[in-house]
Amino acid sequence: MNRRRFIGTAGLGLTVLSGAMARVGNAAPKLTILQTNDTHSRIDPFPMDGSRNQGLGGVARRKVLIDRIRAQREYTLLVDSGDMFQGTPYYNLYGGEVEIEAMNKMGYEVATVGNHEFDNGIEGLEKTMPLAGFEWISSNLDWSGAKALAPIVKPWTIKQIGPFKVGLFGLLCKFDGMVAGHNHEGVSYLDPVESARRSVAELKARGCNVIVCLSHMGYNTRYEGEEMRDDRFPAEVEGIDLILGAHSHTFLDELVELPRRGGGVTRITQQGWAGMRLGQVEVELRRGEELAMRQSPLWVGAG
Ligand SMILES: [Zn+2]
């Protein structure tokens, strides 16, 4: 056994042990939310060609990490914030089937729709979206003109995971400049702030104790023209606990904490792109208190 592998295995043993101890103690329950965004058809790791990202990513290694965390933790949730399509020949050749199949094998539970999901038009989505073993959510798109897809995409969903009643809703950036008109025929864009407010209200009314937004709006000022960005939502919408972002390909190394309209804080994170990093946010449910959160993202394929 080489040294690196030995250290890796020893570390894993310790983590398994501490996971088991957390289960028998009377500590506050913890939910581990795993997230990717903008994986862009990166099924394989980046080639070992001396470039900056060489060796990073790849769905096989991502699955190993996911399986390991699921074995260690009592409560987990795996989500994607959109743009799983476009970027390598896998998409050009197979139109998204490979990406969806890989996500099914990894056990994704919920995903939102990114702008690149529309790259093969509504016809392309009709072929790929029904293959998903996970739920599609998007609260600010009206699918009523795309009859085959309307029943597949919901504005929000609820996942009951132990004591966590997690309400999730999805958001997409505007189509203008991002999706060609003929590629979203029958799907119309709704105001993201109003849609978010409506979803949060419906999720709260159903007793959710964790509200998560899968946002494909973008985080930073690279998209200055956007009418709305992740970092502007906390001031506009009450009740969002966590925004799992996408679209701007931002690696947020710390959870961004912003004061929330109506009190409390909203946390924001994002995992860059290409499946190089698997987001890991631990949510702690403390009786009668605000949720506590910390993040410890994992690089995929680094060592
Ligand atoms: Zn995008």
Side-chain angles (χ1 to χ4, degrees), residues 151-168:
I152 295 175
V153 196
K154 301 285 190 300
W156 49 261
T157 189
I158 295 172
K159 293 286 181 191
Q160 183 78 52
I161 307 159
F164 296 91
K165 190 166 189 178
V166 187
L168 302 110

Side-chain angles (χ1 to χ4, degrees), residues 38 83 115-116 216 247:
D38 301 280
D83 275 5
N115 50 302
H116 280 292
H216 200 91
H247 191 58

Side-chain angles (χ1 to χ4, degrees), residues 26-146:
N26 53 6
K30 293 186 178 103
L31 169 70
T32 302
I33 304 179
L34 303 173
Q35 178 227 354
T36 48
N37 56 272
D38 301 280
T39 51
H40 283 299
S41 303
R42 289 274 163 185
I43 302 298
D44 303 315
F46 282 97
M48 299 302 288
D49 58 0
S51 66
R52 202 174 108 175
N53 299 326
Q54 67 172 353
L56 290 175
V59 295
R61 284 142 158 189
R62 198 195 314 165
K63 185 178 188 312
V64 169
L65 286 177
I66 291 164
D67 289 349
R68 185 181 296 171
I69 293 161
R70 280 185 168 141
Q72 291 168 2
R73 310 286 163 76
E74 193 166 13
Y75 306 120
T76 62
L77 176 65
L78 174 61
V79 299
D80 186 89
S81 304
D83 275 5
M84 58 280 284
F85 291 172
Q86 195 64 272
T88 71
Y90 282 106
Y91 183 68
N92 306 82
L93 289 169
Y94 303 109
E97 283 183 35
V98 177
E99 292 84 334
I100 299 284
E101 191 51 44
M103 290 173 75
N104 288 346
K105 292 230 161 78
M106 287 180 272
Y108 274 81
E109 292 159 88
V110 186
T112 196
V113 185
N115 50 302
H116 280 292
E117 269 67 88
F118 289 90
D119 285 3
N120 282 348
I122 295 300
E123 216 174 288
L125 284 176
E126 285 174 357
K127 285 186 199 138
T128 50
M129 285 183 101
L131 302 175
F134 49 88
E135 292 180 68
W136 292 103
I137 53 169
S138 190
S139 72
N140 68 324
L141 296 181
D142 177 357
W143 299 80
S144 53

Side-chain angles (χ1 to χ4, degrees), residues 197-214:
R197 285 179 180 157
R198 194 178 327 115
S199 287
V200 172
E202 291 180 16
L203 294 167
K204 288 272 186 200
R206 285 161 179 80
C208 292
N209 53 14
V210 184
I211 304 283
V212 177
C213 172
L214 301 186

Side-chain angles (χ1 to χ4, degrees), residues 221-236:
T221 51
R222 207 175 120 198
Y223 295 89
E224 201 70 68
E226 291 291 326
E227 81 281 24
M228 210 54 213
R229 303 185 313 253
D230 290 343
D231 53 353
R232 292 173 61 185
F233 271 84
E236 298 281 342

